[in-house]
Structures are given as C-alpha cells and as structure tokens.
Amino acid sequence: MKKLTAIITGALTVLAISATAFAANLISADEARAIAQKQVPTGSTYLHTEAELQKMQPYYEVKFFDTATQTEYEIDVYQEYNMERKALGGSANVILSKDDVKAIVAKEVGDVSIYELKLDREHGLYEYEVKFSASGLRGEMNINPETGVVLDKEVKYSF
C-alpha cells in the first residue's frame, strides 16, 4: 500500500510540475483576446474567451461575431494560433478563375505563396480549396467560386 501511495504521489508531483511549466509559457486571457481581435474585422463583437487544454498544451479559444457578414470567428491562441472563419454556402456556378481566387487570398493575407489551389464539389456545391503560406503563417481557405466569399479560413500564425 505504501508503494502504491508513493507511486501515485510521484505521478501527481510530475503532473503538477508539468502543468506549471506549461502554464508558465501561456499568455494571459487578455493578451490572447488582444491578439485575436487583430485577426477579425473592425466592429466584430467579442463573445468570450475560454482556457483549453489539448494534448497537454494549454491555449485560449477566443470567439467573435461579425454582424455585418453573419460570420463567427474562433481564434485559438497558444505558442502559435489558429483563426477559423466560418460562413455557409458553396455555389452551383463557377464564375471565378483560379487567378481571381489567388487575388482574393492575397487581399485577405497579403504577400502569400499558394502551394495548392483546386476546385472541389461538396454536397452538390463547388468551392475553391486553397493552401498557402507567407512569412510567419500558413493556412487554408475555402472560397465560393461564384461570389468570392471566403467560406472558411484557417490560419496558423507564429509569434
């Protein structure tokens, strides 16, 4: 029984030290919100910030909502952060060319290198799927091929 107690105590001590080390590298919730707010359109409404843990890595999940475009933004902030932008709807029509899509991505991200661009059909609707990288970031976007609306955007930033 003493041996089992010692093993459990040792394991809990290691876990506590690991959690403390992880937490020491984590920024505050206010800092996470400030970083995330730079990634959403001006005027977006802040919803909330939650502390999360995934695969023993702590991070903050920060949510905003843009009423003008009815788009929800979820930004995960940790050693790098992900920003997801979600809007609904592909299109039955393909109007935009791949060059048009490249221009949309450049407008959203800036100086970007696109390493994959393809037209995909999902649930009967078309979407352009784009994978890209730029200085300090990498990401993916899905773009409506008729309107140019960014349907889904995930960007991983290193800071």
Side-chain angles (χ1 to χ4, degrees):
M1 187 66 167
K2 287 183 182 182
K3 198 177 207 180
L4 180 59
T5 303
I7 290 171
I8 291 172
T9 303
L12 289 175
T13 302
V14 168
L15 183 59
I17 291 169
S18 296
T20 303
F22 282 130
N25 291 329
L26 190 63
I27 61 176
S28 72
D30 289 338
E31 290 171 314
R33 179 179 174 181
I35 289 168
Q37 193 147 20
K38 292 176 186 174
Q39 306 307 315
V40 298
T42 304
S44 293
T45 303
Y46 167 74
L47 300 177
H48 69 278
T49 301
E50 290 183 29
E52 300 282 341
L53 184 67
Q54 182 178 26
K55 296 182 183 177
M56 295 298 293
Q57 183 175 9
Y59 67 96
Y60 291 105
E61 179 182 275
V62 187
K63 289 190 177 183
F64 292 87
F65 186 76
D66 182 15
T67 311
T69 62
Q70 294 293 298
T71 303
E72 179 181 296
Y73 294 84
E74 178 182 305
I75 299 94
D76 296 337
V77 182
Y78 44 104
Q79 295 302 327
E80 62 178 24
Y81 59 96
N82 296 333
M83 191 270 289
E84 286 190 42
R85 170 181 173 178
K86 296 180 181 178
L88 299 176
S91 178
N93 302 312
V94 178
I95 306 291
L96 302 174
S97 69
K98 288 186 176 185
D99 286 338
D100 294 330
V101 172
K102 288 177 184 179
I104 291 167
V105 175
K107 183 178 177 185
E108 286 273 329
V109 180
D111 188 21
V112 65
S113 174
I114 295 173
Y115 58 89
E116 186 175 320
L117 172 57
K118 66 181 180 178
L119 185 64
D120 192 26
R121 188 172 181 161
E122 192 170 306
H123 307 292
L125 299 174
Y126 290 101
E127 295 179 356
Y128 276 109
E129 292 181 4
V130 185
K131 294 184 181 182
F132 56 88
S133 62
S135 180
L137 65 88
R138 66 188 185 284
E140 299 179 16
M141 282 188 203
N142 291 334
I143 298 174
N144 182 305
E146 181 176 11
T147 64
V149 169
V150 177
L151 303 172
D152 183 49
K153 177 180 175 183
E154 183 176 342
V155 181
K156 293 186 178 192
Y157 295 85
S158 298
F159 61 95

